[in-house]
Amino acid sequence: MSSSRKEPRLARRFQKDSKDEAFLEDLNDALVPLQESMYEILPERYPTLHVIGVPRSGSTLLVQTISSALDIGYIDNLIAAFWKAPLCGIALSRKLMSEKRSSSFESTFGRTDGISEPHEFGYFWFSLLGYTEMREPVVPEEHIIDWERVKLLMTNICQAFESPVVFKNFLIGWHMRQISTVLPKTCFVRIKRDPVENALSLLRMREQFLGSKDAWVSMKPREYEWLKDRPYWDQIAGQVYYLDKELDRQIADCGNTNIIECTLEELREHPNELLERVSQLVEKTGSSAELVRPVNSAFEVRQSTIDVDDGDKQKIEKAVDAIYSKGGLD
């Protein structure tokens, strides 16, 4: 079943410039020898904190809130340009922006503006974990990931900040057990959103980024191979459901007690209470992430369904209700 393709409204805004990309690739390659000489074999002095969740669940707002309010390191848009030389990027960022900046708490489908805003660090994580796309492995492939390299980079990044570091990283949610084994202080904050709202936001992202309701966007669960042949409302409901359930499974199997879960509603309505929980989570590891800049008020609740067609909304609601009530698609 198909829908008409429209001209994407946002695709051009975020389209990468090939000359800029080539320059950054060359710059990173040139810095690799220097960067490798900077790495040290270090103990796990500080924890890494990973914000995980289904795409469009509120993870960007959560990492903006944590990085702005807590005394904790994070990857900003400047550092992200140095994905092959993160310590060089951190040194530049700390030199040029010596004072901790407050977030605007604004983003466009996970993309942030402003040099000091947090960044997903996608190139870094894809390279480090050996991914070529945001697709859940059919069979866990822990053996092909160099976990000693993961430990080396995580401990050195934390040392460069001299503090715990928060990441917004979808991919690590598929490897919670292994990273917790390699780095026992690892912490996770899992955010959840009402599944209908989550699915409707993914539908908007399809239309506004790719110009089509049928064009898959963001993470692919294991079930993608057969989901892609279903109508778009089943695809999106299935994407939310199966990614959500896999995170449930990962958390249950992980054995890591350094995990807290929250909802987007909690974040919007009681941000400082959630920040206190995150701070206490970090304290469990023997480190600290003090609240240095409380959020002044609850975040405005944005209406994610404002530009969704009523017919689409009804299809999504029906599909989500069916898959969650039946425990999967027929």
Side-chain angles (χ1 to χ4, degrees), residues 140-181:
E141 298 177 344
E142 312 289 11
H143 62 284
I144 68 172
I145 298 174
D146 185 347
W147 288 103
E148 285 304 310
R149 179 75 175 177
V150 173
K151 181 177 181 179
L152 178 72
L153 268 61
M154 292 298 98
T155 54
N156 275 265
I157 287 172
C158 288
Q159 185 62 35
F161 280 107
E162 299 179 286
S163 73
V165 178
V166 62
F167 294 96
K168 173 193 168 185
N169 174 19
F170 291 124
L171 299 179
I172 208 68
W174 291 327
H175 304 282
M176 293 176 67
R177 177 193 290 273
Q178 189 62 31
I179 194 170
S180 297
T181 300

Side-chain angles (χ1 to χ4, degrees), residues 7-165:
E7 183 68 21
R9 287 188 277 165
L10 294 172
R12 284 193 298 272
R13 176 182 168 189
F14 293 103
Q15 186 174 11
K16 297 181 187 297
D17 184 279
S18 58
K19 291 183 180 179
D20 289 345
E21 290 293 293
F23 164 72
L24 288 174
E25 184 79 36
D26 290 344
L27 177 60
N28 272 269
D29 288 341
L31 287 171
V32 166
L34 171 62
Q35 177 63 96
E36 292 299 316
S37 72
M38 295 168 67
Y39 289 134
E40 301 177 70
I41 304 298
L42 299 170
E44 187 188 14
R45 294 171 180 159
Y46 307 100
T48 52
L49 176 69
H50 300 274
V51 171
I52 56 174
V54 174
R56 308 304 307 140
S57 61
S59 55
T60 300
L61 180 59
L62 178 53
V63 79
Q64 286 175 312
T65 304
I66 291 172
S67 61
S68 180
L70 298 184
D71 185 15
I72 194 168
Y74 70 98
I75 303 302
D76 60 34
N77 284 317
L78 173 60
I79 299 169
F82 298 86
W83 66 91
K84 293 183 182 179
L87 302 191
C88 297
I90 293 167
L92 277 173
S93 178
R94 299 189 76 183
K95 176 68 175 177
L96 297 175
M97 296 181 288
S98 57
E99 294 185 6
K100 187 174 177 66
R101 306 295 179 90
S102 177
S103 175
S104 67
F105 304 109
E106 296 290 336
S107 65
T108 304
F109 294 113
R111 275 77 168 176
T112 60
D113 291 321
I115 197 168
S116 64
E117 289 285 341
H119 191 283
E120 290 185 13
F121 217 15
Y123 287 173
F124 171 86
W125 286 108
F126 268 62
S127 175
L128 184 60
L129 300 179
Y131 280 78
T132 57
E133 61 175 329
M134 296 180 74
R135 185 168 181 174
E136 181 186 357
V138 175
V139 177
E141 298 177 344
E142 312 289 11
H143 62 284
I144 68 172
I145 298 174
D146 185 347
W147 288 103
E148 285 304 310
R149 179 75 175 177
V150 173
K151 181 177 181 179
L152 178 72
L153 268 61
M154 292 298 98
T155 54
N156 275 265
I157 287 172
C158 288
Q159 185 62 35
F161 280 107
E162 299 179 286
S163 73
V165 178

